Amino acid sequence: HMNIPKNLKYSITHEWVKVEGDTATVGVSDFAQHELGDIVFVEAPAEGTAVTAAEQMGSVESVKAVSELNAPVSGTVSAVNPELADHPELLNQDCYGKGWIVKIALSDPGQVGDLMDAPAYEKYIAEMKH
């Protein structure tokens, strides 16, 4: 059973977003980490990098494949999870917690409204599987 926390927003490329004020914490969803398998390397954008919604900002490498990491919102990277360099497997173990990837200072908080809420994301995954 997929874990889809109700308090988060989701992108069509399976990133999750948790908004606090004008900062968005971003990671990959439970669905994404399941699909990827064992994650061995996370290439995250550096602090201070400008990112654009729906465009690539890094990548996640698993034993199976390299997957694009897309920015779900536009803004500037304000923090990068320092644990991931040594422990990329945190994305598998705790994707919504210790496995967060970056924090983004939102340039347009209104973009968050374009993302899916949990029920919409659940439906999106169900439709993808058919």
Side-chain angles (χ1 to χ4, degrees), residues 15 28 41-46 49-52 54-61 66-72 77 101-102:
E15 287 85 18
V28 297
F41 183 71
V42 180
E43 185 200 355
T49 305
V51 296
T52 304
E55 290 189 11
Q56 186 172 0
M57 66 172 179
S59 60
V60 176
E61 193 177 327
V66 177
S67 177
E68 282 187 9
L69 179 65
N70 293 322
V77 176
I101 300 173
V102 291

Side-chain angles (χ1 to χ4, degrees), residues 5-6 12-13 24 26 28 32-33 50 55 75-76 82 84-85 99 101-102 126-127:
K6 298 275 181 268
I12 58 169
T13 48
V26 177
V28 297
Q33 71 83 19
E55 290 189 11
T76 305
L84 298 183
I101 300 173
V102 291
E127 284 166 3

